[in-house]
Amino acid sequence: MKTSKKMRLGIISALPDEQKGLIEAMGGPARLTHGMRDYSLGQLWGIEAVCVVSRIGKVAAAMAATVLVEKFEVTHIIFTGVAGAGDAKVRVGDVVIAEALVQHDMDCRPQFPKFEVPLTGQSHFKPDPELSNVLGQAADDFFDIDFSSVIQSKDRREFKLEWPRVHRGLVASGDQFISNRAHLAQLGASLPGLLAVEMEGAAVAQVCFELGVPFAGIRTISESANEDAGNNFLRFVKSVASLYALHIIHRFCVDMKAKAPSR
């Protein structure tokens, strides 16, 4: 990681239910409203943390990330939330750890190559490898140890959560809800290795790149980004994705606390 400061973790989600359990785990956090968003400050399993619901979309997420760094002085940022599958091998209930993030609706040709963010020289923003590795291991351990006891059997049956997996790879963000097979196929052809599509992560990754803040992104796959997208979405977020986030971030914080140098 790029910083040796004591960790103050910023956690961003687009929807309240995506981090509801995390706020409750803080046990009566301090609240501060800034820029039309509520920031919750406290501790999560021994790690100083600030949680915020950014709202949906790249601009909203970028603003939340910038405020976390500039006002709340977080040293690391994680985005946790749901996404649509970008590949047939990625199923509902799987988790994707971002190894690169791209804005799929960024196109300033002919002045700049497609997907490149002008004047940055970047199209694929890379999360912090160490942060991502710890997050990925936390997700692996959640599935191996916690999953069957945390997710109710009726929810496992309804959403066909048989053998969820952790994937690592490319995540694409854009200010569009992808719900068309043809559109998804077009994105996949333009972005080889695409695993998930969502609406915020690459914007947060760009902010963290420009401000020099380690970042990692984790997404629970809630739907297949086709014509069936949106069916039972909110129930999935409440009964599955929010529990994924709670238990994976729990494991992540415990692991990061253990890695921290003693003072």
Side-chain angles (χ1 to χ4, degrees), residues 71-91:
K71 185 172 182 65
F72 294 97
E73 299 182 332
V74 303
T75 60
H76 305 72
I77 288 180
I78 288 177
F79 197 108
T80 176
V82 296
D87 187 278
K89 69 186 176 188
V90 181
R91 303 179 62 185

Side-chain angles (χ1 to χ4, degrees), residues 149-165:
S149 61
V150 167
I151 306 300
Q152 294 186 27
S153 58
K154 64 181 180 63
D155 295 321
R156 297 201 300 270
R157 289 193 300 271
E158 178 178 348
F159 296 109
K160 300 178 181 177
L161 309 178
E162 297 177 0
W163 301 102
R165 299 172 55 201

Side-chain angles (χ1 to χ4, degrees), residues 114-162:
K114 189 175 183 180
F115 306 126
E116 183 175 307
V117 177
L119 308 181
T120 68
Q122 300 287 318
S123 60
H124 291 54
F125 291 88
K126 298 295 182 67
D128 182 82
E130 183 181 346
L131 209 60
S132 298
N133 286 341
V134 176
L135 193 58
Q137 186 60 58
D140 284 330
D141 290 343
F142 166 73
F143 283 136
D144 289 344
I145 301 168
D146 305 324
F147 172 78
S148 60
S149 61
V150 167
I151 306 300
Q152 294 186 27
S153 58
K154 64 181 180 63
D155 295 321
R156 297 201 300 270
R157 289 193 300 271
E158 178 178 348
F159 296 109
K160 300 178 181 177
L161 309 178
E162 297 177 0

Side-chain angles (χ1 to χ4, degrees), residues 62-74:
M63 178 171 176
T66 303
V67 170
L68 280 174
V69 177
E70 295 295 307
K71 185 172 182 65
F72 294 97
E73 299 182 332
V74 303

Side-chain angles (χ1 to χ4, degrees), residues 53 164 189 191 198:
V53 175
L191 295 166
E198 37 91 320

